[in-house]
Amino acid sequence: MFKSLNDKDFSKEFKEIRDLIAKSNQITITAHENPDGDSIGSCLAMRDYLSSKGKTVKILYYNSIPDTFQFMDDSYSIKIYEESDESYILTSDLVFILDVNSLARIRTVGELIAKSSAKKIMIDHHINPESFCDIYVSDHESASTGELIAKFLLDDKEYELSDKAARCIYTSILTDTGGFRFQSVRPSTHIILSELIKKKVSPNEIYDSIYNQTKHAVFVLMGRAFANSELFYDGKLNIMRVNKSDMLELGLSSEDLNNFSESTLHVKGVLAGVLISDVPDEEFVKLSFRSKLDIDVRSIAIQYGGGGHLNAAGAKTKSDDIDKLKLEIIDKFKSIFI
Ligand SMILES: [Mn+2]
């Protein structure tokens, strides 16, 4: 199905994984801390597959999944690791490490995986995997881990993709491609999607479950932040501010600000955006940077002790004068825009 597309060929690894599964009974699946749509979808789809083969499977995470993604786990099969799970991991025959390529990012579960004599399989799309596994399905050109899981499941001619697995993988791809918008989307992404929506997958319901869930108070806060947005450097830089007094009035905390900063780029002509949030529940001011093309906002975030990616970065800084901080940030864009 994917042979002509120049995607990395994992048929050898897929066969080896199936052989290992056949020899195993007790299986652990895990993914990175602070699980997202891709990691949760990948783990649940893999669990569904392994259960269909009659295996005993546990999905163990370091911390809980966001409410937004609970719809995928309707049977509550994802568990937050507790000490009583230690022996399960240590005595597992097989461990799947999905959507993550370093043990440190799996935290406590990762420490136990390192000690376990289980065979370890990594399926992931991050660059530079650590070497602690027996089999690697690692492709940093894949837009999501879910796509790699889909390729593995579709490669097994004795397995019929379930509606549930299809919904989970669809969610993986949707979320890790920002709604099929990112550069990482390839022809195979859409071939996989076409296989998924042959099953009972409702794109509009999944979209609605994830993206149309904004709290009204957050919506009001967004309105205020939009209203005070200011453009600099001939409209190339957009700065938005969230005030502590507004957040207190609306009863919101820093975790309500997720995905807020993305909006700075919606304005025509804007190439970089900054959201300065004076949040009431932390003693820091949160800075979120977004950019287009090759504009490197990571280097600015680093100057405030933060980090991230070229086009999306963040930092936390102390400031008792936000106006001054704003002017300082504007100045840091001088070398980019002048
Ligand atoms: Mn991912």
Side-chain angles (χ1 to χ4, degrees):
M1 201 182 292
F2 307 102
K3 287 246 158 69
S4 60
L5 295 172
N6 285 327
D7 287 14
K8 244 170 138 177
D9 179 23
F10 291 108
S11 30
K12 186 176 139 280
E13 285 81 0
F14 290 164
K15 167 92 177 53
E16 288 169 0
I17 296 171
R18 285 197 295 270
D19 290 345
L20 272 182
I21 292 170
K23 282 189 256 169
S24 306
N25 183 36
Q26 184 173 319
I27 302 176
T28 298
I29 305 175
T30 192
H32 57 80
E33 61 179 320
N34 307 323
D36 59 12
D38 187 24
S39 54
I40 298 165
S42 296
C43 291
L44 289 167
M46 185 55 92
R47 181 186 189 277
D48 194 76
Y49 172 78
L50 295 170
S51 299
S52 81
K53 304 277 177 190
K55 307 296 170 183
T56 303
V57 189
K58 266 192 190 181
I59 302 177
L60 292 169
Y61 282 177
Y62 174 71
N63 50 9
S64 61
I65 70 170
D67 292 345
T68 324
F69 296 118
Q70 194 61 55
F71 75 94
M72 280 194 278
D73 190 18
D74 47 8
S75 56
Y76 293 85
S77 56
I78 294 176
K79 266 199 85 196
I80 302 172
Y81 170 79
E82 292 170 79
E83 253 173 56
S84 55
D85 298 309
E86 181 174 331
S87 71
Y88 184 90
I89 299 175
L90 293 176
T91 59
S92 283
D93 304 310
L94 197 58
V95 177
F96 280 94
I97 294 113
L98 306 183
D99 199 36
V100 63
N101 67 4
S102 91
L103 283 172
R105 283 196 73 211
I106 322 174
R107 307 288 292 264
T108 326
V109 177
E111 289 165 24
L112 293 168
I113 289 171
K115 286 190 218 156
S116 170
S117 57
K119 292 281 183 193
K120 300 164 188 87
I121 298 167
M122 182 191 290
I123 304 181
D124 178 59
H125 68 139
H126 296 90
I127 204 160
N128 299 331
E130 271 175 20
S131 47
F132 61 91
C133 289
D134 298 280
I135 301 177
Y136 293 87
V137 175
S138 170
D139 180 6
H140 70 266
E141 286 178 359
S142 183
S144 63
T145 296
E147 285 168 50
L148 297 168
I149 303 288
K151 285 177 176 175
F152 172 65
L153 300 193
L154 295 169
D155 196 60
D156 183 348
K157 301 292 169 268
E158 285 160 29
Y159 171 72
E160 161 88 31
L161 186 71
S162 71
D163 293 333
K164 181 174 176 168
R167 277 196 291 275
C168 291
I169 296 169
Y170 184 91
T171 307
S172 282
I173 301 175
L174 174 76
T175 52
D176 252 29
T177 58
F180 322 119
R181 288 176 304 144
F182 294 167
Q183 196 101 45
S184 53
V185 171
R186 299 188 284 188
S188 54
T189 311
H190 283 282
I191 290 176
I192 290 166
L193 289 167
S194 80
E195 290 301 315
L196 300 177
I197 58 176
K198 285 178 193 167
K199 302 289 167 180
K200 245 177 113 195
V201 172
S202 167
N204 68 321
E205 272 176 33
I206 293 178
Y207 185 91
D208 197 59
S209 305
I210 299 170
Y211 297 110
N212 293 339
Q213 303 296 333
T214 309
K215 285 187 202 168
H216 185 250
V218 173
F219 197 73
V220 171
L221 184 75
M222 286 170 89
R224 293 183 190 174
F226 284 4
N228 72 34
S229 138
E230 293 175 278
L231 300 181
F232 302 90
Y233 301 111
D234 295 327
K236 295 191 192 76
L237 175 66
N238 185 5
I239 297 202
M240 286 205 303
R241 275 173 66 167
V242 165
N243 301 318
K244 193 180 272 188
S245 54
D246 286 330
M247 292 198 66
L248 284 170
E249 182 197 324
L250 295 162
L252 297 171
S253 64
S254 53
E255 63 183 35
D256 294 309
L257 298 175
N258 283 343
N259 300 326
F260 219 92
S261 49
E262 192 76 31
S263 325
T264 53
L265 299 180
H266 291 176
V267 178
K268 187 173 180 178
V270 166
L271 296 175
V274 186
L275 176 68
I276 305 173
S277 312
D278 193 5
V279 290
D281 51 327
E282 290 184 49
E283 48 187 295
F284 295 95
V285 176
K286 280 178 84 171
L287 304 175
S288 306
F289 301 88
R290 293 292 181 273
S291 68
K292 293 182 181 175
L293 309 170
D294 59 352
I295 292 171
D296 179 9
V297 286
R298 183 174 174 269
S299 63
I300 297 176
I302 285 172
Q303 294 175 47
Y304 289 100
H309 306 278
L310 183 86
N311 295 130
K316 287 177 178 180
T317 185
K318 287 210 168 169
S319 170
D320 39 27
D321 187 343
I322 308 275
D323 289 315
K324 204 171 129 210
L325 175 67
K326 187 183 88 180
L327 291 174
E328 191 186 285
I329 293 170
I330 294 167
D331 197 58
K332 297 207 186 290
F333 280 90
K334 203 185 253 169
S335 59
I336 296 172
F337 290 131
I338 289 182

